[in-house]
């Protein structure tokens, strides 16, 4: 730990020591208690202490205090949960070492993301802004019986704030900071009558890119987001409540900074060096002329959906819940995947998806020993992913032959002079994969109290899937000269075309059971223990790949269902009159048919069965409030996740640190005219690899250096706010990555298959000021 970190932590400790005794007189008034959250992870309202699951939950107020606006920021404070955000279109959600990030339409998620019980788990539509929420619940471990699709190893549920007919409310916030940061959000709750209300909320956020574009134009990794929500609530009787929710978001950030450490950034015309090989320094990237109609690097993504929630009380013990939803996402992202200025290749991804879902659930709670629910659900999804690519055959030929000097490279004029004239400067190929799924679920879950202290829970879910997978590929401007095309046979370089460039389809049917058994013992009202066994399952998938020869059949490959068996024991407590909340869990899971993504020699990302895997871990979280002026919180996760056999035997899971922790405090003091609140936090994680091969040279074709990893690092954040004694407003200054730690989010990527891996920088120090007001 550096001296700067020690100074900051020591300063925080000194402040705690100074403010703590000053607030001692406030202890007796009962205000010095940890926030008690009510969650619905088990489809009924419960205190987190009473839920026999490793669950982390944050209220809207706590999210605001931490400055959390996105999943990536949220994951820093959730043990066992990691989120990688390359762009809103390409996130990776990681739960207990298991990653869900594939954008293929044929694939299934492993970590589910929900909005009010509606799955939004498809990778290209799952990363959304977190605003105007009631709370966030993150449940770790197999949760298929509770949440259904994709909850193989965990689930995240966003509970959005609903319209309230009992009173008017409004709030607004404005923020500004470095890198041209500007954010505005607002909320208005409007009662129309005693039984009907409307709530409107939205956020606009912009920030310039933090990686310099050395060729001019927009800097890379910017933010440009507009998100909005309209919620209608109708309560005509005490027995019926209905919510209609419309969500919309559009993201238009600049391109992702894929940075090559093989070739220096140069002027493509003159060959003059204009940058260095630093992982976090400026990049020289561009889209080739004419690619995708001349579109610039960057993303244009739209996500929207409509959800209807209906709850009807049938009797004192029975109620019926209905969740109806329709959702769409549409995104086009253009990226320079080679990581340097010469147009070796440029890619795009055009992903679209539509889904419809319906769930009916009957809930029973008679106030006695038995609590239960059961129901049925329907899910239909139709999507595709189109991947156009363009490459310069001249550069490709010289790079493959080792003619391009490293690390400098050559200029375009020199390349045109050296390369055979017949090679094309722009060759284009396009592939597309298609996926359609119709699923039916039947599920039930029951908890029975054997005694006042001991209860048993059992749950089961049956799922039937009908799937159709498809694939097509075509050559956009003739065959590849470098690929060996002849006058009678047009060949591709990266992939071979399907017959007449048309897609082929194949069907798959799958069915399976998931289940859980849980025992909970309440030693007292403040202390409980639990033990559980759960089976998680990811359905079979039908992977697709290009034909082996032009016009040949599509290569379909059925991968078996992934199965995870998880064993867990945990304890939860609220001690010292709820001034201390402390909980922890130990788990072990074994994994069969682990499906991972690998880069083949043509630069295509394809699915593969990596065999068996296992993980053993611990997760803990603490919240301490010794006085009304001071709160201390922290989390720690240990996860030893390794492949058990196959080509990756002994390797670490990708994007999965063995250790991660967060520490923070919030202390307040009365100052003239109001109160001052200071919230320092520090998050840390150990080394991570970015691919299942752990960048081991023996497991790769063109890469002989193990450098595609991130060593351990920590991030220091600080927020200082002032709230007046009179007046509903607050002003705050904030800084994230206060010490300007340099780190990377990802490495390898498409370039890794050609011996030119690329690196994506993490965010630098951000700082700014915030003004908020509530009515």
């Amino acid at each position: 730990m550096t001296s700067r970190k020690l100074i900051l932590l020591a300063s925080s400790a000194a402040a705690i020591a100074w403010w703590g005794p000053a607030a001692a007189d406030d202890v007796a008034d009962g205000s010095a208690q940890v926030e008690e959250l009510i969650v619905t992870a088990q489809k009924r309202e419960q205190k987190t202490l009473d839920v026999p699951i490793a669950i982390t939950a944050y209220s809207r107020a706590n999210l605001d205090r931490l400055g959390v606006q996105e999943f990536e920021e949220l994951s820093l404070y959730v043990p066992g949960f990691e989120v990688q955000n390359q762009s809103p279109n390409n996130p990776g959600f990681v739960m207990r070492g298991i990653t869900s990030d594939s954008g293929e339409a044929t694939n299934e998620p492993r970590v589910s993301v929900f909005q009010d019980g509606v799955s939004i788990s498809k990778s290209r539509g799952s990363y959304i802004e977190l605003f105007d929420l009631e709370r966030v619940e993150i449940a770790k471990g197999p949760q298929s019986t509770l949440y259904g699709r994709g909850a193989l190893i965990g689930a995240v549920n966003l509970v959005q704030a609903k319209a309230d007919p009992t009173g008017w409310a409004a709030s607004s916030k404005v923020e500004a900071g470095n890198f041209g940061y500007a954010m505005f959000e607002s909320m208005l709750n409007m009662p129309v009558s005693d039984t009907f209300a409307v709530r409107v909320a939205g956020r606009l956020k912009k920030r310039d890119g933090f990686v310099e574009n050395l060729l001019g134009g927009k800097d890379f990794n910017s933010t440009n987001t507009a998100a909005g929500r309209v919620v209608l609530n109708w309560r005509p009787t005490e027995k019926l409540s209905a919510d209609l929710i419309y969500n919309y978001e559009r993201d238009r950030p600049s391109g992702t900074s894929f940075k090559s450490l093989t070739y220096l950034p140069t002027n493509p015309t003159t060959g003059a060096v204009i940058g260095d090989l630093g992982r976090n320094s400026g990049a020289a990237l561009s889209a080739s002329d004419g690619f995708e109609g001349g579109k610039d690097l960057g993303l244009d993504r739209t996500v929207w959906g409509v959800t209807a929630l209906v709850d009807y009380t049938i009797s004192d013990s029975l109620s019926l819940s209905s969740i109806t939803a329709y959702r769409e996402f549409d995104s086009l992202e253009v990226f320079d995947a080679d990581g340097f200025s010469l147009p070796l290749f440029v890619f795009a991804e055009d992903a679209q998806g539509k889904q419809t879902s319906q769930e009916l659930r009957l809930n029973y709670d008679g106030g006695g020993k038995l609590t239960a629910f059961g129901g049925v659900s329907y899910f239909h999804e139709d999507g595709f992913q189109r991947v156009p690519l363009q490459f310069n055959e001249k550069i490709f030929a010289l790079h493959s032959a080792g003619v391009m000097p490293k690390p400098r490279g050559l200029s375009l004029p020199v390349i045109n002079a050296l390369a055979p004239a017949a090679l094309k400067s722009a060759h284009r190929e396009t592939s597309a994969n298609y996926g359609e799924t119709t699923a039916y679920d039947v599920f039930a879950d029951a908890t029975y109290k054997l005694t006042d202290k001991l209860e048993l829970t059992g749950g089961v879910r049956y799922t039937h899937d009908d799937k159709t997978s498809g694939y097509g590929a075509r050559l956009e401007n003739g065959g590849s000269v470098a690929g060996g095309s002849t006058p009678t046979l047009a060949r591709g370089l990266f992939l071979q075309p399907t017959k007449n460039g048309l897609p082929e389809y194949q069907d798959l049917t799958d069915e399976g059971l998931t289940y859980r058994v849980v025992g909970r013992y309440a030693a007292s009202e403040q202390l409980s223990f639990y033990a559980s066994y759960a089976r998680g399952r990811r359905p079979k998938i039908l992977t697709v790949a290009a034909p082996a020869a032009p016009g040949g059949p599509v290569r379909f490959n059925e991968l078996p269902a992934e199965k995870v068996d998880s064993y867990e024991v945990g304890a939860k407590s609220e001690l010292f009159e709820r001034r201390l909340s402390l909980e922890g869990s130990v788990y072990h899971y074994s994994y069969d048919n682990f499906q991972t993504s690998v880069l083949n020699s043509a630069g295509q990302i394809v699915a593969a069965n990596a065999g068996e895997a296992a993980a053993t871990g611990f997760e803990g979280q603490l919240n301490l409030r010794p006085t009304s002026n001071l709160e201390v919180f922290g989390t720690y996760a240990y996860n030893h996740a390794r492949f058990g056999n196959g080509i990756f035997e002994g390797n670490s899971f990708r994007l999965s640190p063995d250790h991660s922790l967060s520490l923070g405090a919030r202390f307040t003091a009365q100052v003239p005219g109001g109160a001052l609140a200071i919230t320092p936090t520090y998050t840390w994680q150990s080394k991570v690899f970015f691919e299942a091969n752990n960048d081991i040279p023996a497991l790769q074709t063109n890469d002989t250096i193990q450098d595609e990893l991130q060593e351990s690092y920590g991030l220091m954040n600080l927020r200082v706010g002032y709230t007046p004694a009179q007046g509903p407003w607050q002003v705050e200054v904030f800084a994230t990555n206060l010490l300007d730690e340099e780190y990377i989010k990802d490495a390898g990527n498409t370039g890794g298959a050609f011996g030119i891996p690329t690196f994506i920088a993490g965010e630098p120090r951000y700082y700014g000021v915030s003004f908020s007001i509530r009515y």
Side-chain angles (χ1 to χ4, degrees):
M1 186 175 292
T2 67
S3 59
R4 285 190 298 173
K5 294 175 184 175
L6 287 172
I7 291 171
L8 281 170
L9 290 174
S11 300
S12 299
I16 292 172
W18 184 76
W19 266 302
D25 294 338
D26 297 329
V27 175
D29 65 8
S31 61
Q33 289 187 326
V34 172
E35 180 184 35
E36 186 172 64
L37 269 181
I38 302 298
V39 298
T40 54
Q42 295 193 117
K43 309 302 181 184
R44 62 184 185 273
E45 293 187 347
Q46 293 177 287
K47 298 188 299 182
T48 54
L49 176 70
D50 299 332
V51 180
I53 297 172
I55 184 171
T56 302
Y58 285 103
S59 67
R60 175 175 51 198
N62 264 334
L63 295 176
D64 288 343
R65 290 171 191 146
L66 294 172
V68 170
Q69 297 181 2
E70 300 180 18
F71 280 117
E72 190 173 43
E73 298 162 339
L74 172 67
S75 69
L76 297 175
Y77 305 100
V78 180
F81 183 46
E82 308 280 336
V83 178
Q84 177 206 63
N85 175 27
Q86 290 189 18
S87 78
N89 191 55
N90 194 11
F93 289 85
V94 187
M95 195 80 76
R96 290 185 172 176
I98 304 298
T99 301
S100 184
D101 63 353
S102 173
E104 293 184 2
T106 58
N107 229 320
E108 292 278 353
R110 295 188 181 101
V111 179
S112 282
V113 182
F114 291 86
Q115 281 181 318
D116 288 311
V118 176
S119 174
I120 61 170
S121 304
K122 271 298 187 184
S123 174
R124 283 8 182 194
S126 60
Y127 198 89
I128 57 173
E129 288 290 305
L130 308 182
F131 69 100
D132 198 36
L133 300 176
E134 182 180 318
R135 67 183 181 277
V136 178
E137 302 176 7
I138 303 98
K140 279 72 67 76
Q143 304 299 334
S144 300
T145 59
L146 293 174
Y147 288 94
R149 298 201 68 78
L152 171 80
I153 199 65
V156 180
N157 190 26
L158 309 178
V159 182
Q160 303 173 113
K162 307 301 188 297
D164 184 0
T166 63
W168 286 81
S171 65
S172 293
K173 178 183 288 187
V174 179
E175 293 185 347
N178 63 334
F179 290 95
Y181 173 62
M183 192 279 291
F184 173 73
E185 66 179 31
S186 191
M187 177 279 295
L188 176 62
N189 185 85
M190 302 172 288
V192 178
S193 70
D194 292 341
T195 60
F196 184 73
V198 180
R199 188 183 186 98
V200 181
R203 173 182 288 169
L204 299 173
K205 184 165 66 174
K206 288 189 176 184
R207 177 178 267 128
D208 297 336
F210 59 84
V211 174
E212 182 184 1
N213 184 347
L214 299 175
L215 298 179
K218 295 180 179 178
D219 291 333
F220 303 114
N221 300 346
S222 71
T223 299
N224 186 350
T225 295
R229 183 180 306 126
V230 179
V231 185
L232 310 180
N233 176 260
W234 183 48
R235 307 177 190 178
T237 69
E238 292 184 356
K239 292 187 174 184
L240 177 64
S241 177
D243 295 289
L244 183 66
I245 308 166
Y246 171 75
N247 281 288
Y248 172 88
E249 179 169 332
R250 187 178 184 188
D251 299 283
R252 292 176 291 171
S254 59
T256 301
S257 61
F258 293 97
K259 177 71 181 292
S260 174
L261 302 192
T262 304
Y263 294 113
L264 279 164
T266 58
N267 182 309
T269 302
T270 66
V273 174
I274 56 177
D276 59 40
L277 292 180
R279 303 190 309 174
N280 298 70
S281 57
L285 309 175
S286 64
S288 300
D289 292 340
F291 181 68
E292 283 295 286
K295 293 187 180 299
D296 291 332
L297 299 179
L299 167 67
D300 190 347
R301 184 191 73 150
T302 301
V303 182
W304 69 273
V306 179
T307 302
L309 308 174
V310 179
D311 290 292
Y312 180 71
T313 301
I314 300 172
S315 66
D316 291 342
S317 58
L318 285 176
S319 65
L320 180 67
S321 299
S322 171
I323 305 175
T324 309
Y326 177 80
R327 194 167 189 271
E328 288 189 12
F329 66 86
D330 186 346
S331 66
L332 176 63
E333 185 167 20
V334 181
F335 49 98
D336 190 355
D338 55 47
F340 58 96
S341 57
L342 297 178
L344 175 58
F345 44 73
V346 60
F347 282 62
E349 181 188 34
D350 177 9
Q352 298 182 27
K354 300 177 181 180
Q355 72 176 56
T356 305
S357 60
Q358 173 66 58
E359 178 181 297
L360 290 173
R361 186 178 74 249
L362 188 65
N363 312 289
Y364 174 80
D365 187 354
K369 295 185 175 182
L370 178 66
T371 305
F373 66 82
V376 295
S377 68
Y378 164 84
F379 178 88
H380 180 80
E381 181 178 61
D382 192 358
F384 81 92
Q385 179 196 50
R386 180 178 67 93
V387 182
L389 59 94
Q390 175 177 291
F391 57 88
N392 186 310
E393 292 185 337
K394 299 176 186 293
I395 301 173
F396 182 83
L398 295 180
H399 164 72
S400 300
V403 176
M404 292 175 61
K406 300 176 183 179
R408 180 163 181 165
L410 299 172
S411 67
L412 279 174
V414 173
I415 284 174
N416 289 330
L418 290 176
L423 295 178
K424 299 163 68 174
S425 296
H427 173 74
R428 299 186 182 121
E429 304 173 355
T430 297
S431 64
N433 58 81
Y434 306 80
E436 183 176 1
T437 299
T438 301
Y440 303 90
D441 286 20
V442 180
F443 56 90
D445 195 274
T447 299
Y448 186 79
K449 292 185 177 181
L450 297 174
T451 69
D452 290 341
K453 294 187 175 183
L454 179 63
E455 64 182 31
L456 294 179
T457 298
V460 64
R461 180 180 292 258
Y462 167 78
T463 300
H464 176 91
D465 286 355
D466 291 317
K467 297 172 177 286
T468 299
S469 295
Y471 179 87
R474 64 179 185 268
L475 307 179
E476 301 290 353
N477 61 345
S480 164
V481 179
S485 290
T486 67
T488 58
L489 181 65
R491 297 184 60 89
L493 182 58
F494 281 13
L495 52 89
Q496 302 307 323
T498 52
K499 186 177 181 180
N500 298 321
L502 299 175
E504 298 177 17
Y505 299 91
Q506 190 166 309
D507 296 331
L508 173 70
T509 298
D510 180 56
E511 59 183 8
L513 284 174
T514 55
Y515 38 84
R516 69 172 185 145
V517 179
V518 187
R520 175 177 176 267
Y521 179 76
S524 68
E525 292 184 0
Q526 294 80 34
L527 177 63
S528 69
F529 303 90
Y530 68 89
S532 68
Y533 162 71
R535 159 67 63 89
R537 185 179 187 274
R538 187 192 192 201
K540 294 178 183 178
I541 62 172
L542 199 61
T543 66
V544 292
V554 172
R555 290 176 287 178
F556 292 96
N557 181 30
E558 180 180 313
L559 293 183
E562 296 182 0
K563 297 178 182 179
V564 58
D565 289 296
S566 175
Y567 305 85
E568 182 172 332
V569 294
K572 301 186 178 187
S573 63
E574 291 179 349
L575 307 174
F576 309 114
E577 299 180 351
R578 222 175 74 237
R579 293 175 199 159
L580 172 63
S581 171
L582 186 64
E583 59 184 86
S585 62
V586 177
Y587 62 86
H588 174 81
Y589 67 77
S590 56
Y591 212 117
D592 288 328
N593 302 318
F594 189 99
Q595 299 165 15
T596 188
S597 296
V598 297
L599 279 168
N600 63 22
S601 59
Q604 296 174 275
I605 298 176
V606 297
N609 188 346
E612 298 176 357
T616 301
F618 167 82
E619 293 165 1
Q621 48 196 39
L622 170 150
N623 208 309
L624 172 65
R625 195 165 186 183
T627 76
S628 60
N629 294 67
L630 173 63
E631 184 175 7
V632 179
F633 48 90
T635 66
Y636 170 72
Y638 168 74
N639 183 58
H640 186 269
R642 300 292 188 270
F643 290 98
N645 61 2
I647 60 173
F648 299 140
E649 182 178 358
N651 283 15
S652 299
F653 288 8
R654 58 189 293 261
L655 298 176
S656 177
D658 281 0
H659 304 272
S660 60
L661 64 86
S662 69
L663 296 170
R666 178 178 173 84
F667 35 96
T668 61
Q670 298 302 311
V671 297
L676 190 69
I678 302 176
T679 308
T681 62
Y682 180 73
T683 60
W684 178 89
Q685 68 172 40
S686 60
K687 178 174 66 176
V688 295
F689 293 99
F690 298 104
E691 299 293 345
N693 60 27
N694 287 188
D695 198 33
I696 297 172
L699 298 178
Q700 301 178 88
T701 303
N702 301 305
D703 194 348
T704 60
I705 302 174
Q706 189 180 33
D707 59 353
E708 297 159 33
L709 57 94
Q710 172 59 55
E711 297 289 354
S712 60
Y713 71 97
L715 302 176
M716 177 77 74
N717 298 338
L718 180 65
R719 306 183 75 87
V720 180
Y722 171 79
T723 305
Q726 302 294 328
W729 57 270
Q730 181 188 53
V731 64
E732 190 173 40
V733 294
F734 58 86
T736 60
N737 192 5
L738 181 62
L739 305 181
D740 207 20
E741 183 83 13
E742 288 192 353
Y743 65 99
I744 58 171
K745 291 184 175 184
D746 201 22
N749 304 299
T750 302
F754 302 93
I756 47 173
T758 56
F759 298 76
I760 301 175
E763 286 81 2
R765 175 169 51 229
Y766 286 151
Y767 56 84
V769 61
S770 171
F771 177 82
S772 58
I773 186 169
R774 291 184 177 274
Y775 305 96

